[in-house]
Amino acid sequence: MRTRNLIFAVIAALAAAFTAVVLVPPGPAAAHGNVVSPASRNYGCFERWGSDFQNPAMATQDPMCWQAWQADPNAMWNWNGLYREGVAGQHETVIPDGQLCSAGHTESGRYNAMDVTGDWKATSIGNAFTVSLFDGARHGADYIRVYVSKAGYNPVTTALKWSDLQLVTTVPNTPAAQWTRQLSNGVQQDIPVSVSGRSGRALVYTIWQASHSDQSYYFCSDVNFGGTTSPSPSTPTSPSPSTSPSPSTSPSTSTPPVNGSCAGTHTVTSQWSGGYQGEIKILAGSTAIKSWTVTLTYPGASPIAQVWNASLTTNGNSVQATNVSYNGSVAAGATTSFGFLASGSPTTPTVTCAATT
């Protein structure tokens, strides 16, 4: 009897485990992409405010981003997930007029705020410019189509319709290995675009048909024709906490010299009643590093409740943060960072950094 009961218990446990596995919804893909120059609406909002997204100054300095952050912060954190599946090339049928910037209210409406008309921050460009599309998962492209809104269309006052667009450039089937730039955290296609006689506000609309499946990406980039130079091709700055591409690393001129392989600095970027947001910046020494570990030692229990761009282990008053796959490699003298949300009043920990070179 004991043996039979044991067998039944094992079977029940296996069945429960199987059910749990089956019912767990699949997580997001490791990485997707976006137009990083001229920055799309949600990527631009993340690039400008991702480390300071609760700053009330955004409401007056960047009101369209402010309304987007208030509507759904995940539209910015997941800046590389603005896509639809199963469109089968029928873009104008599947995506209704007025919803082009949200990919037809994709992802249960996460990106709806991208459709809101208003004075979005616009990139100044000339009549010859470059569209830079970042692909963090190296999907490649069946095709990429770049449109520019027609003369007379004003994105500040009018929601975008298909009839407002003019196709100006198409990139044919291009495997990821043939994209313009091969990066450590993905690939980037820099697409030259030329129009004539344009001035004033417009939208650049990009459709990226990824090659790995029927997955279509849609990006609205606000521009102002009349700039003297084109924006230089860009690469992503920081990823969302739950998705992919790598933070850019740039040489630091204000941080003191590093004693050892790396150094870490702690900064409070915003504060509110009952909590605050912080950033830890990692600076590589005179030798490039392959991975890093930052230890934060607090005077009391760790206040950290959420972290992005790092993996966290907490043990009492000590927190150990290690790089994730896309931001471990840092050039000599360059920086990367991770952010966090914490409870209570700001507390400054002791920060130590160790790295492999």
Side-chain angles (χ1 to χ4, degrees), residues 58-197:
M58 190 196 320
T60 53
Q61 295 177 14
D62 201 347
M64 297 313 295
C65 280
W66 175 258
Q67 65 86 27
W69 280 102
Q70 302 310 302
D72 194 335
N74 285 320
M76 276 60 69
W77 294 129
N78 293 286
W79 54 260
N80 50 17
L82 209 170
Y83 65 88
R84 291 188 73 94
E85 293 185 317
V87 174
Q90 303 300 306
H91 308 291
E92 296 186 30
T93 300
V94 174
I95 309 298
D97 284 344
Q99 298 179 17
L100 275 67
C101 298
S102 69
H105 294 178
T106 192
E107 295 294 303
S108 301
R110 173 187 291 167
Y111 302 96
N112 287 8
M114 302 304 113
D115 292 319
V116 177
T117 56
D119 191 11
W120 291 85
K121 291 285 187 182
T123 302
S124 292
I125 60 174
N127 279 193
F129 61 99
T130 299
V131 172
S132 295
L133 173 62
F134 177 79
D135 174 4
R138 294 178 168 85
H139 292 321
D142 285 346
Y143 55 82
I144 303 166
R145 296 175 183 169
V146 179
Y147 301 77
V148 174
S149 58
K150 298 175 182 176
Y153 168 76
N154 186 354
V156 177
T157 59
T158 308
L160 185 65
K161 305 186 299 294
W162 288 104
S163 60
D164 295 320
L165 295 174
Q166 177 180 356
L167 179 64
V168 292
T169 300
T170 298
V171 178
N173 184 286
T174 311
Q178 297 176 19
W179 280 36
T180 312
R181 290 198 269 178
Q182 301 294 311
L183 308 170
S184 62
N185 58 311
V187 294
Q188 185 164 302
Q189 185 78 324
D190 295 328
I191 307 164
V193 180
S194 180
V195 295
S196 62

Side-chain angles (χ1 to χ4, degrees), residues 332-345:
T335 63
T336 188
S337 65
F338 67 89
F340 63 88
L341 298 179
S343 59
S345 300

Side-chain angles (χ1 to χ4, degrees), residues 142-290:
D142 285 346
Y143 55 82
I144 303 166
R145 296 175 183 169
V146 179
Y147 301 77
V148 174
S149 58
K150 298 175 182 176
Y153 168 76
N154 186 354
V156 177
T157 59
T158 308
L160 185 65
K161 305 186 299 294
W162 288 104
S163 60
D164 295 320
L165 295 174
Q166 177 180 356
L167 179 64
V168 292
T169 300
T170 298
V171 178
N173 184 286
T174 311
Q178 297 176 19
W179 280 36
T180 312
R181 290 198 269 178
Q182 301 294 311
L183 308 170
S184 62
N185 58 311
V187 294
Q188 185 164 302
Q189 185 78 324
D190 295 328
I191 307 164
V193 180
S194 180
V195 295
S196 62
R198 296 299 303 270
S199 62
R201 291 293 295 268
L203 273 177
V204 175
Y205 191 66
T206 306
I207 299 177
W208 166 33
Q209 184 68 42
S211 292
H212 70 298
S213 66
D214 187 3
Q215 198 171 75
S216 309
Y217 294 74
Y218 304 88
F219 308 119
C220 282
S221 301
D222 291 87
V223 298
N224 184 32
F225 284 110
T228 56
T229 58
S230 302
S232 58
S234 170
T235 52
T237 51
S238 297
S240 71
S242 60
T243 47
S244 59
S246 122
S248 63
T249 57
S250 57
S252 171
T253 56
S254 59
T255 305
V258 178
N259 295 320
S261 57
C262 64
T265 58
H266 173 277
T267 305
V268 174
T269 57
S270 62
Q271 183 179 353
W272 56 93
S273 177
Y276 62 99
Q277 179 177 332
E279 180 183 55
I280 303 297
K281 183 173 290 186
I282 298 95
L283 171 66
S286 58
T287 303
I289 62 177
K290 298 177 181 177

